[in-house]
Amino acid sequence: MQTIDARGAFCPGPLMELIAALKLSAIGDQIEILSTDKGSVADVPEWVAKVGHKMVGVTEKGDHWSIVVEKAK
């Protein structure tokens, strides 16, 4: 699983980094994005549903969130 450390970046920064990583990934690859921006917790799942990828999970890790997405197409 690839991990993107976007802690300290504000939306849409973490989402843009996720989009760039997904373009270089294969179907079935999972990408974890670490974000301190609370907006990412809502924005990333909304975008993932809109474009047809799969949300694996969102976990609060104290001072940041771990958001895991699987490339579905």
Side-chain angles (χ1 to χ4, degrees):
M1 176 172 22
Q2 178 183 353
T3 299
I4 299 169
D5 189 350
R7 290 177 285 188
F10 297 99
C11 261
L15 178 59
M16 299 309 289
E17 290 192 44
L18 173 64
I19 292 169
L22 283 168
K23 286 182 181 177
L24 301 174
S25 300
I27 293 172
D29 285 353
Q30 292 187 348
I31 298 173
E32 175 186 41
I33 187 158
L34 306 177
S35 179
T36 51
D37 183 9
K38 190 173 184 176
S40 297
V41 175
D43 293 348
V44 170
E46 184 176 315
W47 179 82
V48 166
K50 181 178 177 181
V51 299
H53 293 301
K54 179 181 175 187
M55 275 302 305
V56 176
V58 177
T59 307
E60 188 171 356
K61 301 271 188 170
D63 63 343
H64 67 279
W65 289 269
S66 165
I67 304 166
V68 180
V69 175
E70 182 176 306
K71 183 170 181 169
K73 61 179 189 174

